């Protein structure tokens, strides 16, 4: 691993952050560490610096700038290292013990800024070490050595007298004096502290020294692993591809059932199939390694104590595989509950059990499937587990993988300070739902996609208008909204769009079938007859393509689903010369009801929204001016010509789409959004 420290960049950082030299450099090297996933991932690791500040009365105070909770090293700002009074914290070393709550109270009351984030749980460890700069990571390469039965010996071979070895102690108050004692007992050559089964600390009199020692420690570990590597026996990975859209919805349904999620809701899945993942899964004893546990205790909240490994999956029978995964998830839950009970009993503690679902499912030949409440969460799990895999492989290649024991892992999994790191999100009306919205580049589709995303859904926006789609998607949250170009009249493209939803989010719960066109003409003319044929393609058959493809996924998930079609006032109140549009839309209303009747047995609901006179591109090209003229009113008056005398907007229609997505007991229904039109009342 190479040092990326550059004196010129360091000088620029001091200037850029304008927070003084110490905090500027602290921010700079914390970011250097945080940008390398082999060192830390997703909020792991912590860093500090010691300095002096003046209080309001002008008195000089010794302080520790320590990483605050909620900050990620890769993106940290000076505010991410709040200052705490060093003296009072160092005094705590005299204590025999300190509860978690007491420690947090001490840390918070030592803050110079009462509104700053709570200092890291490792604050005291940083405070008790004398060096000005202290860096801590969970570097993969060091863990491969430290996660071994003879970890101390291996580390001693690599670092010699430079090593301070600290046997495993759970993070928190008790660890801090142990590390300080070990450091003080070590000779003057000591420059690296390895925490058994946990991670590595380096320190220095300046930011560069501490950072470069970290890089050196990792580089030396990497070389040692390369030297010690034995030949690895793999079974030769046979990789299956292109089945994501058929396998992920089944797994999603299994997990939603196991977690008793509401119908039409479930976890969001992320599938990862890199070469490294395939290589790991094809190891002859990958299953045994997986059962041992994560490479550092910090990972347990993301990945659970173990991943679920499916041995020899049969990809030629996905239905059978789905049943196998279902049974395996059940077994996993039973095992997890037993582990929880046993730990509570042997430790004599009372805890509130977390859910019993795996976070990582491993399918050799296919890859890794991770889950979360959001796609972002699922990706974090995958990132973290990839690093556990890397450590498992290396540790196994050079010896025996032995990370922290299950009993110790339990303490971290059920540690209130650790759980505080993952704050539960407030429930959202469409949280856990995956929706596909067609005609999403403009008007009603665009407004509906935006509203769904705001209500917590993960959304696939589909349209054939590439550039319109891009500008419609841009303002929306990229973590939960994706777009896909497809022409809904081409069945293959529709299926590809639905497959995209499954690949990206793991399945599909809601179809908003909205794309349409408004052709005119008299049916007894040849132009009218031609327009009718084209209209049936766009306004009827394309909806059937979408509904069929969506239902296939919904049935595979087995968690119900919601189809919502955009019919039109023309289905109830046809207009003159509007036959091609009215006939197709009336048929679409019949299609809506037919799906309600035929698919109800699967819990799939089918409803429609009947909207009228919305300023969308259906009215482009002079259509609206022509209609307004025909009625002898202005364009604005035309749009307000309803019982409520108010113009109906695309957002009003989106509200109806959002309501139907939540109306769990409603099917075969039409909601009218037109400001009131007696002639068009549904009958
Ligand atoms: Zn740590």
């Amino acid at each position: 691993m190479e040092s990326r420290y550059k004196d010129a960049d360091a000088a620029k950082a001091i200037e850029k952050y304008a927070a003084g030299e110490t905090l500027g450099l602290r921010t700079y090297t914390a970011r250097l560490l945080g940008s390398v996933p082999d060192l830390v991932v997703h909020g792991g690791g912590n860093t500090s610096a010691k300095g002096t500040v003046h209080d309001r009365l002008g008195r000089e105070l010794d302080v520790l700038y320590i990483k605050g909770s909620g900050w990620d090293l890769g993106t940290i700002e000076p505010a991410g290292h709040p200052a705490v009074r060093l003296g009072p914290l160092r005094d705590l070393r005299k204590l025999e013990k300190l509860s978690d709550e007491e420690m947090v109270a001490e840390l918070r009351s030592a803050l110079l800024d009462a509104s700053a984030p709570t200092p890291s749980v490792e604050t005291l460890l940083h405070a008790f070490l004398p060096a000005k700069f202290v860096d801590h990571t969970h570097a993969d390469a060091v863990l491969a050595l430290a996660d071994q039965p003879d970890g101390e010996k291996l580390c001693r071979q690599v670092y010699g007298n430079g090593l301070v070895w600290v046997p495993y102690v759970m993070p928190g108050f008790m660890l801090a004096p142990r590390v300080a004692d070990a450091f003080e007992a070590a000779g003057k050559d000591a420059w690296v502290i390895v925490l058994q089964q946990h991670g590595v600390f380096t320190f220095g009199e300046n930011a560069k020294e501490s950072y470069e020692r970290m890089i050196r420690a990792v580089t030396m570990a990497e070389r040692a692993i390369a030297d010690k590597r034995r030949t690895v026996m793999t079974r030769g990975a046979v990789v299956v591809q292109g089945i994501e859209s058929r396998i992920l919805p089944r797994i999603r349904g299994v997990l939603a059932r196991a977690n008793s999620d509401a119908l039409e809701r479930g976890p969001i899945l992320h599938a990862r199939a890199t070469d490294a993942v395939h290589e790991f899964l094809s190891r002859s004893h990958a299953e045994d390694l997986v059962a041992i546990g994560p490479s550092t205790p910090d990972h347990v909240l993301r990945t659970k104590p173990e991943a679920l490994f499916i041995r020899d999956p049969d990809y030629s029978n996905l239905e059978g595989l789905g049943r196998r995964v279902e049974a395996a998830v059940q077994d996993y839950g039973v095992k997890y509950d037993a582990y929880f009970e046993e730990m509570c009993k042997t430790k004599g503690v009372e805890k509130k059990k977390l859910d019993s679902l795996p976070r990582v499912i491993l399918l050799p030949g296919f890859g890794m499937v991770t889950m979360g409440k959001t796609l972002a969460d699922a990706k974090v799990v995958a990132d973290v587990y990839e690093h556990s895999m890397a450590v498992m492989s290396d540790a196994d290649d050079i010896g025996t993988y032995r990370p922290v024991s299950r009993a110790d892992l339990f303490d971290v999994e059920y540690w209130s300070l650790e759980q505080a790191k993952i704050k539960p999100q407030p429930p959202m009306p469409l949280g856990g739902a995956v929706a596909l919205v067609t005609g999403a580049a403009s008007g009603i589709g665009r407004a509906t996609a935006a509203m769904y995303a705001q209500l917590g859904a993960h959304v696939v926006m589909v349209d054939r208008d590439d550039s319109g789609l891009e500008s419609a998607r841009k303002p929306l949250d990229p973590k939960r909204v994706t777009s896909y170009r497809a022409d809904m009249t081409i069945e293959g493209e529709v299926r590809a769009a639905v497959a995209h939803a499954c690949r990206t989010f793991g399945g599909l719960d809601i179809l908003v079938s909205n794309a349409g066109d408004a052709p005119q003409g008299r049916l007894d003319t040849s132009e009218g007859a031609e327009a009718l044929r084209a209209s049936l393609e766009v306004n009827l058959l394309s909806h059937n393509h979408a509904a069929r493809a969506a239902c296939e996924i919904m049935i595979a998930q087995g968690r119900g689903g919601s189809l919502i079609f955009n019919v039109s006032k023309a289905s109830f109140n046809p207009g003159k010369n509007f036959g091609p549009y009215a006939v197709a839309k009336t048929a679409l209303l019949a299609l809506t009801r037919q799906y309600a009747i035929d698919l109800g047995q699967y819990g799939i609901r089918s409803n429609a929204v009947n909207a009228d006179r919305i300023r969308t591109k259906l009215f482009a090209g002079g259509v609206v001016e022509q209609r307004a003229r025909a009625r002898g009113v202005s364009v604005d008056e035309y749009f307000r010509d309803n019982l409520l005398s108010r113009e109906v907007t695309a957002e009003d229609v989106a509200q109806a789409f959002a309501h139907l997505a939540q109306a769990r007991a409603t099917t075969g229904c039409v909601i009218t959004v037109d400001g009131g039109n007696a002639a068009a009342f549904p009958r």
Side-chain angles (χ1 to χ4, degrees):
M1 185 170 285
E2 276 187 29
S3 167
R4 290 158 63 223
Y5 192 102
K6 291 198 178 70
D7 291 328
D9 291 348
K12 266 190 238 158
I14 296 170
E15 202 174 309
K16 180 181 156 200
Y17 296 121
E21 186 177 321
T22 302
L23 199 47
L25 290 173
R26 178 63 287 172
T27 309
Y28 170 60
T29 58
R31 281 181 166 231
L32 288 183
L33 296 172
S35 59
V36 180
D38 290 353
L39 294 176
V40 284
V41 275
H42 297 294
N46 41 61
T47 47
S48 71
K50 298 179 183 82
T52 50
V53 296
H54 289 91
D55 70 7
R56 280 191 209 289
L57 299 171
R59 292 172 301 199
E60 201 176 74
L61 281 179
D62 286 333
V63 296
L64 174 75
Y65 299 103
I66 177 74
K67 193 188 104 167
S69 66
W71 285 88
D72 192 292
L73 290 184
T75 52
I76 202 159
E77 299 282 340
H81 284 104
V84 285
R85 290 179 187 82
L86 189 54
L89 293 187
R90 282 195 164 154
D91 289 344
L92 296 175
R93 196 169 162 190
K94 296 175 197 137
L95 294 175
E96 288 284 309
K97 59 179 195 235
L98 190 65
S99 76
D100 293 339
E101 292 71 23
E102 288 163 347
M103 181 178 79
V104 170
E106 291 291 337
L107 298 182
R108 284 213 62 87
S109 59
L111 279 168
L112 262 59
D113 173 359
S115 67
T118 300
S120 159
V121 294
E122 310 285 23
T123 300
L124 296 178
L125 198 165
H126 288 258
F128 294 173
L129 291 173
K132 187 170 161 81
F133 285 82
V134 177
D135 294 2
H136 169 46
T137 73
H138 303 141
D140 292 350
V142 178
L143 282 172
L145 302 176
D147 282 351
Q148 297 278 344
D150 57 350
E152 181 176 6
K153 198 176 110 201
L154 285 171
C155 288
R156 193 70 65 194
Q157 283 168 4
V158 176
Y159 303 118
N161 286 339
L163 176 71
V164 179
W165 174 259
V166 183
Y168 182 81
V169 176
M170 183 178 153
F173 176 72
M174 292 312 290
L175 179 59
R178 299 281 180 88
V179 172
D181 292 348
F183 170 78
E184 284 158 14
K188 60 178 177 12
D189 295 335
W191 60 272
V192 55
I193 305 171
V194 177
L195 273 51
Q196 184 187 19
Q197 297 161 329
H198 173 165
V200 54
F201 278 80
T202 54
F203 48 86
E205 275 323 297
N206 56 61
K208 184 177 182 178
E209 184 179 45
S210 184
Y211 166 77
E212 292 199 328
R213 280 176 168 175
M214 180 64 73
I215 301 303
R216 190 170 141 215
V218 173
T219 309
M220 289 168 80
E222 285 171 345
R223 290 207 187 111
I225 292 164
D227 289 347
K228 287 176 185 297
R229 202 182 291 281
R230 309 176 299 212
T231 314
V232 184
M233 293 295 288
T234 65
R235 300 188 294 180
V238 181
V239 177
V240 245
Q241 279 171 323
I243 58 165
E244 293 93 336
S245 62
R246 288 180 292 140
I247 190 167
L248 294 177
R250 288 190 162 81
I251 295 177
R252 185 164 178 261
V254 165
L255 293 170
R257 268 192 294 283
N259 198 39
S260 308
D261 285 340
L263 287 178
E264 301 170 27
R265 303 290 185 270
I268 305 302
L269 304 189
H270 171 65
R272 199 169 283 184
T274 59
D275 290 348
V277 170
H278 285 310
E279 193 273 335
F280 177 83
L281 294 180
S282 64
R283 282 174 170 263
S284 38
H285 50 296
E287 187 174 1
D288 302 331
L289 287 173
V290 164
I292 296 171
S295 57
T296 181
D298 199 42
H299 289 183
V300 71
L301 253 89
R302 307 286 193 181
T303 65
K304 286 262 166 191
E306 65 182 277
L308 174 59
F309 190 94
I310 306 292
R311 197 183 311 146
D312 300 323
D314 175 6
Y315 297 108
S316 65
N317 173 8
L318 292 183
E319 237 181 272
L321 180 56
R323 284 193 296 273
R324 262 195 72 193
V325 173
E326 182 127 43
V329 166
Q330 273 163 14
D331 281 354
Y332 184 98
V334 170
K335 235 173 99 187
Y336 182 83
D337 293 352
Y339 152 80
F340 176 81
E341 293 296 327
E342 189 202 320
M343 287 296 152
C344 287
K345 216 167 113 193
T346 50
K347 290 170 187 284
V349 292
E350 255 183 61
K351 298 278 179 187
K352 189 172 178 292
K353 189 175 76 65
L354 300 167
D355 71 74
S356 313
L357 293 184
R359 295 292 183 278
V360 182
I361 299 180
L362 300 170
L363 292 148
F366 176 73
M368 155 166 69
V369 178
T370 59
M371 65 167 276
K373 286 203 176 351
T374 63
L375 180 63
D377 288 350
K379 283 183 173 173
V380 168
V381 175
D383 291 346
V384 167
Y385 204 74
E386 266 191 320
H387 289 280
S388 261
M389 281 182 178
V391 175
M392 287 177 198
S393 305
D394 282 343
D396 187 47
D397 284 355
I398 63 169
T400 306
Y401 177 57
R402 178 149 334 142
V404 68
S405 72
R406 277 305 169 83
D408 286 331
L409 199 59
F410 179 85
D411 294 338
V412 176
E413 189 180 5
Y414 283 90
W415 187 24
S416 58
L417 300 187
E418 191 72 12
Q419 285 188 2
K421 283 188 190 168
I422 299 181
K423 293 188 191 76
Q425 308 285 323
M428 312 224 344
L430 295 183
V434 179
L436 185 144
V437 180
T438 75
S442 64
I444 293 169
R446 182 179 182 158
T448 302
M451 189 171 289
Y452 272 31
Q454 223 169 42
L455 293 173
H458 286 71
V459 183
V460 183
M461 301 174 77
V462 183
D463 208 292
R464 61 182 174 191
D465 170 8
D466 235 346
S467 62
L469 193 56
E470 189 43 37
S471 61
R473 190 200 55 78
K474 231 177 180 168
L476 304 180
D477 181 359
K479 289 194 186 116
R480 54 173 74 244
V481 182
T482 169
S483 60
Y484 193 85
R485 203 216 72 87
D487 181 337
M488 301 310 288
T489 61
I490 301 170
E491 196 179 352
E493 292 192 12
V494 176
R495 290 196 162 268
V498 169
H500 175 78
C502 298
R503 263 200 315 277
T504 313
F505 300 127
L508 182 64
D509 306 297
I510 304 166
L511 167 71
V512 174
S513 197
N514 161 71
D517 196 0
Q520 304 190 46
R522 248 176 59 186
L523 296 180
D524 62 321
T525 64
S526 61
E527 293 81 6
E530 199 38 57
L532 173 63
R533 181 183 294 279
S535 179
L536 288 171
E537 285 290 343
V538 179
N539 293 318
L540 177 67
L541 298 179
S542 79
H543 292 271
N544 196 43
H545 299 328
R548 283 186 63 197
C551 286
E552 198 177 302
I553 302 304
M554 290 168 182
I555 290 170
Q557 284 176 165
R559 304 298 295 160
S562 177
L563 310 174
I564 317 177
F565 300 94
N566 189 355
V567 299
S568 150
K569 169 221 143 183
S571 334
F572 300 97
N573 179 18
K576 207 168 172 193
N577 286 335
F578 228 27
Y581 185 62
V583 170
K585 284 290 192 180
T586 309
L588 179 59
L589 179 62
L591 179 141
T592 302
R593 292 169 170 164
Q594 198 61 47
Y595 267 91
I597 292 165
D598 292 342
L599 278 293
Q601 59 179 312
Y602 299 104
I604 296 175
R605 303 183 293 115
S606 176
N607 294 291
V609 171
N610 156 28
D612 189 29
R613 289 195 208 174
I614 320 294
R615 283 189 209 241
T616 67
K617 65 178 187 186
L618 285 195
F619 283 108
V623 176
V624 64
E625 287 79 5
Q626 190 189 326
R627 297 250 203 97
R629 226 177 8 255
R631 288 172 167 80
V633 295
S634 73
V635 168
D636 284 350
E637 282 167 338
Y638 170 79
F639 278 112
R640 284 199 301 269
D641 183 17
N642 56 47
L643 296 175
L644 297 173
S645 303
R646 98 191 253 292
E647 179 171 341
V648 180
T649 64
E651 283 70 30
D652 292 324
V653 186
Q655 289 273 10
F657 277 110
H659 169 71
L660 284 171
Q662 300 168 67
R664 303 234 165 108
T666 300
T667 190
C669 162
V670 183
I671 291 187
T672 301
V673 188
D674 63 359
N677 176 356
F681 283 168
R683 34 208 136 141

